[in-house]
Amino acid sequence: MCSATATNAVDPKIIDLLNKDPEGLAHVSLEYFPPRTEQGVKNLHARMERMLTNTKCLYTDMTWGAGGSTAELSLELALHAQKTGHVSNLHLTCTNMEKDGDPIKGVHDALQAAFDGGIRNIVALRGDPQEGENEWTATKGGFTCALDLVKYIRKEFGDDFGVSVAGYPEGHPNRISELTEDEVKSMSESELSRCCTHDGITYVCKDDDYKKEMDYLKEKVDAGADFIITQMFFDAEVFKTFVEDCRTWGINCPVVPGLMCINAYPGFKKMTKFCKTRVPKALEEKMDSMKDDADAIKKFGVEYGAEVCRTLLDSGVKILHFYTLNLEKVVYGITDELGITSGLTEQSNESDAKDMVAVGSAWARAGDTIKCSAGQGVVKEIKSDGAAVVEIDGKDVQLAKGSYEKVF
């Protein structure tokens, strides 16, 4: 049990805030990531302050980079948010947290620092693979999953922290399978409702795997998680079904919908393919029709985002959690469109968008486009030492780490 005393004002637990009805149409919460540059961090400070003032967001999430890549900066930004009036919700992962030879000391130290700084809310996650790795592996003697992290927090810190966990309405990407033609024809009704198609290939979290996902989610909640924040989705019906399934499984805590703002065509296509996200056919066709018009994409992002939010609000949702991508225009557009806010769209300023690139975005992974002295190509494989196998002009070329640059 943690015995230290916080040196500044202490945040309320988010679960206590969620249990109160919103004063207006709905609560809003906002999620940010650590930028790659010092200027980006300064600009993010200013944006977070503006967006807190303008949206009166219930709480603010700060992500923890893939492979623990942003550990120090994530903590710094979460503490900055806490000190400047936000209710800070710090993401924490199990990945690459070895310290002084101890596989879990980095996790404990991060929790202690958060506690000492007045943070009282943690998002417990397994995390993504480290740089140069395509599959996640546990550190020997360390945590193996988010469930381990939830149990550890409750064991070492008792009820000092509010804890949230991730939920996956379409199934965790690691449990989503590529289907054969025969499997596509024999999908169940529930599989059809959450399947996706990318580049002509159909993927789905099969019913047996989805059951395992729900069983695991129940374990995380039973171990002490207060509420669930979902992976992004673009089909509101998938979220509604997921909430119904949670209740069937005896998961009765709040389920917060995670809403990815559509800001740009390339980012939308890349993220939905990487996460194997279901994209309704009408949405896919509309995005493809305006892929070369950046302004039209943002405008449509507002329209579609507001449409999804209305469906969620009509179903009883009381909070909208926006993955901001460190930007504001689409978020403001949606909240203005819904009537949660007014006149913010005209105030939005994204002149600093080039600085709002995540630290982890510097890493190339299979499927990414890179450039090097030999030209531009697509990554086929990342070796454990960071070297990349890249297809350039139809030929496979191996490039040493540091000799290529990811194209955004």
Side-chain angles (χ1 to χ4, degrees):
M1 175 75 70
C2 177
S3 59
T5 301
T7 57
N8 54 309
V10 172
D11 279 344
K13 290 182 182 177
I14 293 169
I15 185 61
D16 294 332
L17 302 178
L18 290 175
N19 286 333
K20 299 176 182 177
D21 288 333
E23 293 182 4
L25 184 64
H27 294 303
V28 168
S29 56
L30 304 174
E31 182 168 313
Y32 304 93
F33 57 73
R36 288 171 58 186
T37 66
E38 288 186 16
Q39 187 60 51
V41 170
K42 292 178 181 178
N43 292 347
L44 181 59
H45 285 170
R47 171 158 288 119
M48 290 169 65
E49 183 177 353
R50 287 199 304 274
M51 295 191 79
L52 173 63
T53 300
N54 290 334
T55 67
K56 297 178 175 58
C57 56
L58 193 69
Y59 63 89
T60 297
D61 277 36
M62 185 56 62
T63 67
W64 194 269
S69 59
T70 68
E72 291 184 7
L73 183 54
S74 292
L75 181 57
E76 288 174 8
L77 286 166
L79 288 169
H80 173 85
Q82 197 278 337
K83 292 174 183 176
T84 53
H86 301 251
V87 174
S88 190
N89 198 25
L90 173 63
H91 291 211
L92 185 61
T93 75
C94 308
T95 310
N96 198 24
M97 293 301 288
E98 182 176 353
K99 187 175 182 181
D100 300 332
D102 185 330
I104 61 176
K105 189 174 187 297
V107 169
H108 188 279
D109 287 356
L111 288 166
Q112 188 67 59
F115 181 87
D116 292 344
I119 292 174
R120 291 295 181 272
N121 298 282
I122 300 291
V123 185
L125 304 164
R126 186 200 69 177
D128 294 325
Q130 301 180 49
E131 180 181 11
E133 297 182 7
N134 291 321
E135 294 186 5
W136 189 90
T137 55
T139 302
K140 186 176 180 180
F143 302 123
T144 61
C145 58
L147 175 60
D148 288 348
L149 183 52
V150 174
K151 290 179 177 179
Y152 181 82
I153 294 171
R154 289 305 182 214
K155 177 184 175 184
E156 297 296 323
F157 292 83
D159 291 328
D160 287 338
F161 285 109
V163 178
S164 52
V165 292
Y168 298 86
E170 297 166 13
H172 191 283
N174 288 355
R175 287 197 185 274
I176 294 178
S177 304
E178 179 180 331
L179 302 186
T180 64
E181 290 185 10
D182 287 341
E183 287 176 321
V184 171
K185 295 175 183 176
S186 61
M187 278 193 289
S188 68
E189 184 176 342
S190 60
E191 288 171 339
L192 281 167
S193 71
R194 63 175 178 269
C195 71
C196 65
T197 302
H198 295 282
D199 297 334
I201 300 172
T202 298
Y203 303 88
V204 76
C205 181
K206 297 178 180 179
D207 286 336
D208 286 347
D209 287 328
Y210 184 77
K211 180 182 181 300
K212 292 174 184 176
E213 279 289 296
M214 296 304 297
D215 288 343
Y216 177 61
L217 181 59
K218 179 70 161 61
E219 284 189 83
K220 289 193 289 185
V221 173
D222 288 348
D226 298 312
F227 67 99
I228 297 161
I229 304 175
T230 75
Q231 171 77 298
M232 68 174 183
F233 59 90
F234 292 99
D235 186 339
E237 296 305 314
V238 170
F239 174 82
K240 290 164 63 177
T241 298
F242 177 69
V243 174
E244 291 173 2
D245 290 341
C246 282
R247 305 314 180 220
T248 299
W249 253 262
I251 301 170
N252 297 311
C253 65
V255 181
V256 176
L259 301 163
M260 179 63 72
C261 296
I262 299 176
N263 278 279
Y265 181 82
F268 170 81
K269 296 292 286 187
K270 180 186 171 80
M271 185 61 71
T272 53
K273 181 178 179 181
F274 178 75
C275 295
K276 300 183 179 68
T277 304
R278 178 180 178 84
V279 179
K281 188 170 181 61
L283 172 59
E284 180 180 23
E285 291 176 348
K286 185 70 172 179
M287 290 292 290
D288 287 344
S289 73
M290 60 178 81
K291 62 182 180 181
D292 297 320
D293 189 334
D295 290 338
I297 289 288
K298 275 190 179 288
K299 182 179 178 181
F300 177 69
V302 170
E303 295 171 0
Y304 191 82
E307 178 185 331
V308 169
C309 288
R310 288 192 189 97
T311 302
L312 298 177
L313 294 172
D314 288 344
S315 74
V317 165
K318 295 181 179 180
I319 182 166
L320 304 170
H321 181 83
F322 292 103
Y323 299 120
T324 68
L325 301 178
N326 288 10
L327 298 171
E328 62 191 53
K329 187 171 184 177
V330 175
V331 175
Y332 285 169
I334 293 172
T335 57
D336 276 0
E337 186 72 19
L338 294 173
I340 295 174
T341 59
S342 177
L344 295 184
T345 305
E346 292 76 14
Q347 299 178 32
S348 63
N349 179 2
E350 294 186 345
S351 60
D352 60 351
K354 68 181 186 305
D355 294 317
M356 293 303 171
V357 178
V359 172
S361 298
W363 302 356
R365 296 191 179 189
D368 286 343
T369 300
I370 63 94
K371 60 182 179 181
C372 62
S373 59
Q376 187 165 299
V378 176
V379 177
K380 298 180 68 176
E381 179 185 359
I382 298 291
K383 303 287 187 179
S384 60
D385 62 358
V389 177
V390 182
E391 182 178 340
I392 300 176
D393 296 331
K395 297 180 180 179
D396 288 351
V397 179
Q398 183 160 316
L399 302 173
K401 180 180 179 180
S403 67
Y404 58 89
E405 180 181 347
K406 181 174 174 179
V407 176
F408 295 100

